[in-house]
Amino acid sequence: MTLTRLTCAPGLTRLASFAVSLAAMASLPALATAADANWPTRPVRVVSAFSTGSGPDAMLRLVADRLSRTWGQQVVVENKPGGSGFIAANDAKRATPDGNTLFHADGLNFTAIPHMYKKLPYDPVKDFMPVIPLHHSYFFVAVAANSPWKTAGDMLAAAKAKPGTVTYGSWQIGSVAHLGGAQLEAASGTRMTHVPFKDNSQLYTSVANGEVDWAFGTAGSAGPLQKAGKLRFLALAGPERLSTHPDVPTMGDAGGPKGFEASGWVGLFAPAGTPPEIVDKINRDIAAIVATPDMQPRMMDFGYMPLAIKPADVRALIEKESAQYAKVVKTINLSLD
C-alpha cells in the first residue's frame, strides 16, 4: 500500500508547512545547481524499508524499471528491512540531499510511529521531505469462510454482546491493521481483543483456520486465501465499493459505522535539503508512470491504487493522519520503547 492511513478523503487540497527551514536551504547553495534539466547524471539509489519479494518491493521495482528508462540512468533498489523502518531511514537520512538517494517507506513511519516511540533514530519532519505516494489500498474485513457472521454488522453485534471475546489479528503491534482495529472498536462502541502475529501469511492462515475471528487485509495480502475459498470479505473499509470486488459492501452498507475507512499507503521520501525542483521532477515522472494504462492492472494485482498527489498534499496528508493516529495511540496507551 502497506498507504498506511486510517481515514483519508480523496482530493486533498489543504497545504501544511512541513518542510526544511529557509535557513537550512540557504546553507546548501551548491546543491541547487543539481536541479537542472540534466538530472540525474548518475544512478539513483532507493533505500527500501521493505523486504525483497514483498508487495511494496515488487511495485517499487516496476516503477524503478520505468524510471530507469525515463531518466537514462539506473535506479537501484536496496532493501534494508527491519527495525520498524529505522534501518533504512538511518541510511537514507545520511545521504547527500541531491536527489540521488530516496527512502521507500510505509506512511506509518511518518504518521503513527512517531507517536509510539519517545525517541526515534530519525526526525520525520527535519530529516525527510515527502516526494510522492506510490500507491495506497483500502482494507477488507476478512473472516474464515465458515464464519457464522454474514455481515460486518453481525460481527460487531457479537462483539457488543460479549465484550472482549471477539478477536482480531494484525501482522504486528502498531501496524495499521492493529490501529485500524482499535479505531473500529472506538467507532462502533465495542471492545475486542487484539492478537498480533509475526507476518501476513501466518495471520491470514490463522483467520482461515478460525484461530482468530477476523483481520483487516488487502486484496493483495488476504486476497489469495479469499480466492481459494478459505476467507470471506464482509466489508470494505473504504468510501465506495471496488470494481475488482463489486459484491463486497462498504463498512457502512454492511452494518458497520458509516464513513469508516482503514487504508495504508507507501511512498518515496528524499533527504531534507533536496532541491525542490528535483523533488517536483521525481513526483511528475512517477505520476506519469503510474497513470499509464498498462500499470493499472499490475497495481490492481497487488490490491493497490495510485495516489499520485503533489509533495505539498503529501505533507497535508501526513499532518492529518498524524493527528488521527496520535488519538488512537493515546486511547490504547501504546508505547513501543
Side-chain angles (χ1 to χ4, degrees):
M1 339 224 218
T2 111
L3 100 167
T4 294
R5 66 185 188 230
L6 290 178
T7 58
C8 178
L12 288 172
T13 57
R14 187 165 52 89
L15 302 182
S17 59
F18 185 40
V20 179
S21 68
L22 292 177
M25 289 296 292
S27 69
L28 298 167
L31 294 179
T33 60
D36 57 30
N38 295 323
W39 183 92
T41 57
R42 57 187 175 87
V44 174
R45 185 172 70 113
V46 183
V47 185
S48 177
F50 297 93
S51 59
T52 304
S54 64
D57 171 71
M59 195 67 233
L60 172 63
R61 290 176 185 275
L62 285 175
V63 173
D65 178 67
R66 302 293 181 90
L67 284 175
S68 294
R69 289 182 247 166
T70 298
W71 292 341
Q73 292 289 341
Q74 187 177 12
V75 178
V76 181
V77 176
E78 294 184 7
N79 299 91
K80 296 193 175 183
S84 298
F86 297 168
I87 297 173
N90 261 332
D91 182 314
K93 78 172 187 179
R94 292 194 296 264
T96 301
D98 56 6
N100 288 284
T101 297
L102 299 171
F103 177 37
H104 178 233
D106 194 307
L108 284 183
N109 284 98
F110 294 83
T111 59
I113 285 179
H115 301 294
M116 302 179 203
Y117 292 87
K118 295 178 181 178
K119 293 183 179 180
L120 289 175
Y122 66 95
D123 188 310
V125 176
K126 296 180 180 179
D127 290 336
F128 291 101
M129 302 168 64
V131 178
I132 189 171
L134 290 181
H135 51 78
H136 78 116
S137 52
Y138 289 106
F139 290 92
F140 294 98
V141 173
V143 298
N146 61 357
S147 170
W149 304 325
K150 302 304 180 184
T151 68
D154 293 341
M155 180 185 79
L156 296 174
K160 286 183 179 180
K162 295 183 179 180
T165 60
V166 171
T167 58
Y168 69 96
S170 77
W171 46 90
Q172 69 181 42
I173 295 174
S175 65
V176 67
H178 175 201
L179 299 179
Q183 193 177 33
L184 179 59
E185 290 181 83
S188 61
T190 59
R191 180 166 59 83
M192 295 179 271
T193 299
H194 174 235
V195 182
F197 288 80
K198 292 184 178 180
D199 57 58
N200 281 356
S201 60
Q202 184 184 9
L203 165 62
Y204 298 115
T205 298
S206 295
V207 174
N209 292 338
E211 295 168 13
V212 288
D213 293 319
W214 71 276
F216 277 126
T218 66
S221 60
L225 286 178
Q226 185 258 348
K227 290 179 180 178
K230 296 182 178 181
L231 291 177
R232 281 190 293 112
F233 291 158
L234 298 183
L236 175 72
E240 58 187 17
R241 300 187 187 211
L242 296 183
S243 60
T244 54
H245 296 77
D247 296 332
V248 181
T250 63
M251 184 71 78
D253 290 341
K258 296 289 185 181
F260 181 86
E261 296 181 17
S263 68
W265 59 276
V266 171
L268 289 177
F269 303 82
T274 300
E277 298 89 340
I278 290 180
V279 171
D280 289 340
K281 174 177 174 55
I282 298 171
N283 180 284
R284 290 194 307 270
D285 291 345
I286 291 178
I289 287 171
V290 299
T292 55
D294 61 321
M295 281 292 287
Q296 301 301 309
R298 302 295 296 274
M299 296 183 75
M300 293 306 294
D301 286 343
F302 295 104
Y304 298 152
M305 294 172 284
L307 185 63
I309 57 179
K310 297 295 185 181
D313 291 330
V314 185
R315 297 183 191 110
L317 173 60
I318 290 172
E319 182 183 63
K320 177 180 179 178
E321 292 189 355
S322 179
Q324 293 169 346
Y325 279 124
K327 294 179 181 178
V328 177
V329 170
K330 183 177 181 180
T331 297
I332 63 177
N333 193 28
L334 177 59
S335 176
L336 300 181
D337 285 301

